[in-house]
Amino acid sequence: MATDHYHREYELYYLFSGQRNYFIKEDVYQVQSGDLVFIDSHAVHKTSDSGAPHHERIVLYFSPSYFDDLTTEERDLLLSPFLLEFPLLRLNYQEQQQIEGLLGTLLTELNEQQPGYRLRITQLAGELLLYTARSLLKRESLPRQESSSVQRKISEIVRYINLHFAEPLELEELSLRFYISKSYLSRMFKQVTGFGFAEYVNLTRVKEAERLLRETDYSITHVSELSGFDNFSHFGKMFKRLTGVTPREYRRGHQNKVT
């Protein structure tokens, strides 16, 4: 993937050990060992240090095409974990053993690459999603964690950016709007989300540009403007940096794809 901060694939993240902060869409979650995190397709996300020095995790990506041959009922069941309002599942010991057993077998297949290993990996991935979906049907996910006042303020600012990305967005203007000093906002935004302020704004705008390039026939110049870029050259450079291709190449590669 060109960027690991958002992508078409559905992402499943399991933390074997340690602690992490996980920013997803507009909220931050405290993840501990034995937690499963589900990231929906195209959701902006990033992990960051929570203070613990070390961590061990595994990340699986499920392409939308993985679900193509399933019935609607089966597809809805396997995708249900990715549509949770609270995208984190804290497993009990028995569930951890089951999940880690499946992941361990998957890694063994991947490392040894015996004949038919790709088929086995596909089966194990489906078994992992099915076990998770069934577990969720038996109980509710974790109640929403209580956020600090700083986290709530940054989430409020992120929501504002997500709604107003097409408008001029300057750190100083937002600091005045949300009654927080410019330097403190810059520091806390990075600490809570894992993104620098300008980095997140550009990421949000490029993500919208991708959508417009896929779903409309607007000119690339117009896409640049609608996405909030006031400089076409800057748009092209930022798009290439974040996606690995030019806007024209991106559109050409998605003209015949359903996303």
Side-chain angles (χ1 to χ4, degrees):
M1 282 161 288
T3 174
D4 60 356
H5 301 318
Y6 66 91
H7 36 74
R8 293 178 63 248
E9 291 76 10
Y10 298 89
E11 179 177 326
L12 188 151
Y13 176 104
Y14 181 75
L15 190 63
F16 283 101
S17 63
Q19 297 179 351
R20 299 290 287 172
N21 289 331
Y22 213 136
F23 173 78
I24 305 173
K25 293 183 179 178
E26 57 190 33
D27 291 307
V28 61
Y29 305 90
Q30 287 75 51
V31 185
Q32 65 184 41
S33 60
D35 285 353
L36 273 173
V37 185
F38 309 95
I39 299 91
D40 196 9
S41 174
H42 292 293
V44 174
H45 58 282
K46 189 172 186 179
T47 59
S48 59
D49 188 7
S50 66
H54 305 290
H55 73 284
E56 184 180 7
R57 54 84 174 115
I58 186 170
V59 182
L60 300 182
Y61 300 99
F62 293 85
S63 170
S65 63
Y66 178 85
F67 307 93
D68 284 350
D69 294 331
L70 303 178
T71 66
T72 300
E73 182 180 359
E74 291 168 342
R75 185 178 186 276
D76 290 346
L77 176 62
L78 294 189
L79 285 176
S80 60
F82 300 99
L83 304 179
L84 297 172
E85 180 181 358
F86 186 79
L88 190 152
L89 181 62
R90 185 150 292 160
L91 305 175
N92 61 37
Y93 179 76
Q94 182 179 2
E95 291 168 333
Q96 288 179 39
Q97 293 300 105
Q98 180 70 21
I99 291 296
E100 291 183 11
L102 289 170
L103 291 172
T105 304
L106 190 151
L107 288 173
T108 298
E109 290 287 341
L110 186 61
N111 290 329
E112 295 183 355
Q113 297 191 8
Q114 296 290 327
Y117 80 96
R118 292 183 183 275
L119 176 60
R120 182 64 176 133
I121 288 175
T122 300
Q123 293 171 335
L124 287 165
E127 189 174 345
L128 182 65
L129 284 184
L130 181 59
Y131 180 83
T132 302
R134 286 177 172 176
S135 297
L136 285 169
L137 289 175
K138 296 176 183 177
R139 76 179 197 280
E140 296 182 356
S141 60
L142 286 178
R144 181 169 290 277
Q145 298 169 344
E146 186 64 29
S147 301
S148 67
S149 59
V150 172
Q151 289 173 337
R152 290 194 295 272
K153 176 66 73 173
I154 297 301
S155 291
E156 185 180 356
I157 293 170
V158 169
R159 284 192 287 272
Y160 182 87
I161 294 172
N162 291 344
L163 289 172
H164 298 274
F165 59 82
E167 305 169 14
L169 290 172
E170 299 294 337
L171 191 62
E172 185 170 358
E173 188 271 330
L174 288 184
S175 71
L176 294 173
R177 176 179 292 275
F178 290 94
Y179 306 102
I180 182 172
S181 76
K182 180 179 176 181
S183 60
Y184 188 70
L185 169 56
S186 177
R187 188 168 67 254
M188 288 301 100
F189 194 95
K190 175 70 173 180
Q191 180 176 310
V192 171
T193 69
F195 293 100
F197 173 78
E199 179 187 12
Y200 183 79
V201 171
N202 284 323
L203 188 72
T204 303
R205 287 171 171 167
V206 168
K207 183 169 178 280
E208 172 64 7
E210 285 184 324
R211 186 191 69 81
L212 292 171
L213 290 169
R214 292 194 310 267
E215 299 178 7
T216 75
D217 58 358
Y218 296 149
S219 71
I220 294 177
T221 300
H222 193 37
V223 166
S224 169
E225 295 168 349
L226 292 175
S227 302
F229 289 94
D230 57 5
N231 183 294
F232 185 74
S233 176
H234 177 62
F235 165 65
K237 291 177 181 178
M238 194 57 56
F239 193 97
K240 178 71 177 290
R241 180 188 301 175
L242 292 176
T243 68
V245 295
T246 66
R248 191 174 306 281
E249 290 169 337
Y250 182 88
R251 168 168 277 172
R252 189 182 306 122
H254 288 77
Q255 282 177 338
N256 298 320
K257 293 183 181 179
V258 178
T259 60

